[in-house]
Amino acid sequence: MDAEGVLVLKGVERRYQQGSKTLVILNGAEFVLRAGEMVALVAPSGAGKSTLLHTAGLLERPDGGDVILNGRACGRLGDDERTAIRRNDIGFVYQFHHLLPEFSALENIMMPQLVHGLSVKEASDRAMQLLDYMKIGKRAQHRPSELSGGEQQRVAIARAVANAPLVLLADEPTGNLDPVTASYVFDALEALVRHSGLAALIATHNHDLAQRMDRRVTLADGKITSF
């Protein structure tokens, strides 16, 4: 593992072409995320939060610099290697839960584990443990349409950590919830991160939740700065 942290961005650049113009989103971004740490990413819409998360999570390739995960330089790896790292070492949570509607909460959490190679019993036991930990074990057999918004997000968080990743990347995970439900879901997320030793980078517009994390960073002129 990199001595500095689990996830390290070194001089990361990300650009998009818009007609004849080049749009610079990340311009030499530097960042270190350590095990057991929760960091809030707070920035205005359009500043590049999603691009940062997608690049850190190996969904997009950096145009310059590198993304180092657990001591391994990942920016120039092939598609198969990047996919394997995402599957094994990175968990994603989004504003919308993206649960599979035809499957129960338990089955949704089992899916990534089965892909990972666990047996049905192992995946089921692990999924049930996570549901109980998130305080929604009694909803295990309910489909997403039968769950409240807060319950759906807690299932999505449990699914994201089902394969015990090193890093959790969350893009407005409570942005679709009312303030009381958002706080309750964040309580569950925080407890899970602290208990497991995950390294979590969480983009949020909710300044109350951001204040509860270990530190806060923002994006300005394509660079990551603390505040």
Side-chain angles (χ1 to χ4, degrees):
M1 183 184 297
D2 190 292
E4 293 182 296
V6 177
L7 173 68
V8 180
L9 305 185
K10 290 192 173 180
V12 169
E13 299 177 6
R14 194 73 182 95
R15 300 180 292 273
Y16 300 98
Q17 204 65 33
Q18 280 192 341
S20 60
K21 294 183 178 179
T22 300
L23 188 61
V24 178
I25 304 298
L26 301 177
N27 186 21
E30 301 271 343
F31 179 67
V32 175
L33 183 64
R34 298 171 179 85
E37 183 179 41
M38 294 184 76
V39 177
L41 173 59
V42 183
S45 297
K49 296 191 299 296
S50 293
T51 295
L52 173 61
L53 291 173
H54 290 169
T55 305
L58 308 184
L59 291 168
E60 297 184 20
R61 292 182 185 276
D63 296 304
D66 212 342
V67 178
I68 299 170
L69 184 67
N70 202 26
R72 183 181 185 185
C74 300
R76 301 293 176 263
L77 294 178
D79 289 341
D80 289 346
E81 290 175 294
R82 290 160 63 86
T83 298
I85 292 171
R86 286 198 303 271
R87 183 173 62 240
N88 298 330
D89 296 331
I90 304 173
F92 294 92
V93 181
Y94 299 97
Q95 180 173 349
F96 300 100
H97 57 77
H98 297 300
L99 298 173
L100 298 172
E102 65 270 30
F103 295 103
S104 68
L106 184 76
E107 291 166 336
N108 266 280
I109 301 169
M110 289 174 63
M111 289 296 177
Q113 299 178 77
L114 295 174
V115 171
H116 193 61
L118 270 68
S119 69
V120 171
K121 184 181 187 311
E122 288 172 323
S124 178
D125 288 348
R126 165 79 170 158
M128 198 64 231
Q129 288 172 358
L130 285 166
L131 284 168
D132 285 337
Y133 193 84
M134 302 296 280
K135 296 184 168 55
I136 49 172
K138 64 184 183 299
R139 310 290 278 170
Q141 299 304 325
H142 289 70
R143 294 186 179 185
S145 61
E146 301 170 314
L147 303 175
S148 69
E151 289 170 339
Q152 290 169 347
Q153 276 303 78
R154 278 180 279 166
V155 173
I157 291 166
R159 180 183 59 183
V161 303
N163 284 335
L166 298 171
V167 174
L168 180 68
L169 302 174
D171 195 355
E172 297 288 349
T174 62
N176 206 33
L177 305 174
D178 66 81
V180 172
T181 304
S183 180
Y184 192 71
V185 169
F186 184 83
D187 288 344
L189 174 58
E190 182 178 24
L192 189 61
V193 169
R194 303 304 186 194
H195 176 77
S196 65
L198 268 170
L201 176 61
I202 302 171
T204 181
H205 280 109
N206 188 322
H207 288 273
D208 290 335
L209 295 185
Q211 292 278 5
R212 294 170 56 181
M213 298 191 218
D214 298 310
R215 56 191 174 100
R216 293 167 292 154
V217 298
T218 190
L219 274 168
D221 298 322
K223 299 187 185 301
I224 302 170
T225 58
S226 299
F227 71 100

